[in-house]
Amino acid sequence: MTKDHANGDPAPGTGTGAPRDGSGELRIRVPDASRITDLTAARAAIDAIDAALADLLARRTEVAGVVQRLKPVGGFAGRNPERERQIVAAMAERAPALGPDRLARIMNAVIEAGLEVAEETSRG
Ligand SMILES: C=C(O[C@@H]1C=C(C(=O)O)C=C[C@H]1O)C(=O)O
């Protein structure tokens, strides 16, 4: 795998991870979908996006785990449907093509995965 010599992360464009510069900022180069004209380029763009998504999901899971430790009642027992509705509504504003119902399904899976990891971690 090609490494970014600055930080050991995969080099930009290798599709194996979103490049990081140590600032906590995540960088990803995403071509405009309307300009992609061949299957190989389309799949390469999806691979780059999925690498960034995986990175974001891992980081979200870590932060959600912190919330579980800080809340009076964490884990599945402390589930907060109103907060989850707010998250979905905010995302639906940014991603109107997906819409709130599909985003609710996506985020339900993301949130439950995070809660599972937090419970497994707290069990040791
Ligand atoms: C993170 C929290 O705990 C749970 C997990 C959430 C999440 O992963 O976004 C949202 C609401 C809660 O069901 C929270 O209460 O903010």
Side-chain angles (χ1 to χ4, degrees), residues 64-65 67-80 84 111-112 114-120 122:
V67 175
Q68 301 321 310
R69 292 196 295 279
L70 293 174
K71 279 166 55 161
V73 180
F76 281 92
R79 204 137 179 203
N80 181 341
E84 295 183 21
I111 289 166
E112 288 191 350
L115 291 171
E116 282 173 21
V117 171
E119 291 204 345
E120 284 171 19
S122 74

Side-chain angles (χ1 to χ4, degrees), residues 17-19 26-28 30 46-58:
L26 193 66
R27 287 177 289 115
I28 173 174
V30 186
I46 284 183
D47 288 347
I49 291 166
D50 287 349
L53 268 177
D55 208 332
L56 286 171
L57 286 168

